[in-house]
Amino acid sequence: MYARTLLFAGCLLLTGIGAIHAADFVTAKIASWNPASRTLVLDDRTEFHDIPAEIALPDNLSIGQTVTINYIGSEDGIQEILSVEVQP
């Protein structure tokens, strides 16, 4: 009985670990910026659409600046953008 309970607990633990999403990040230069749609395209052609309004972006964001974008991704693409940091 103890072994069955331990095995069941181990399965639950492994299932829970698989459900956690790790944040990814990318650092690259801005190729284009559309403030109306809040879309950033980086020089590696990665596109970040509909950046949430809660993420503050400087008014003077411009092509050629380096940014680091933290996001949650999946096989289907970008699920959530967590932050955008402009590098000095």
Side-chain angles (χ1 to χ4, degrees), residues 1-10:
M1 183 71 175
Y2 177 74
R4 184 183 298 164
T5 303
L6 187 59
L7 179 62
F8 182 70

Side-chain angles (χ1 to χ4, degrees), residues 8-81:
F8 182 70
C11 289
L12 287 177
L13 178 64
L14 289 175
T15 304
I17 289 173
I20 296 173
H21 297 287
D24 293 315
F25 72 94
V26 61
T27 299
K29 292 189 182 293
I30 298 172
S32 72
W33 163 237
N34 182 335
S37 65
R38 293 184 64 87
T39 298
L40 269 174
V41 179
L42 304 179
D43 62 356
D44 67 356
R45 298 187 184 173
T46 305
E47 297 183 14
F48 292 88
H49 300 277
D50 303 318
I51 296 172
E54 301 86 48
I55 296 177
L57 295 170
D59 292 333
N60 62 348
L61 196 60
S62 61
I63 294 171
Q65 286 183 299
T66 300
V67 293
T68 298
I69 302 174
N70 293 299
Y71 63 95
I72 296 174
S74 71
E75 293 176 358
D76 298 326
I78 299 166
Q79 290 183 330
E80 181 181 0
I81 300 170

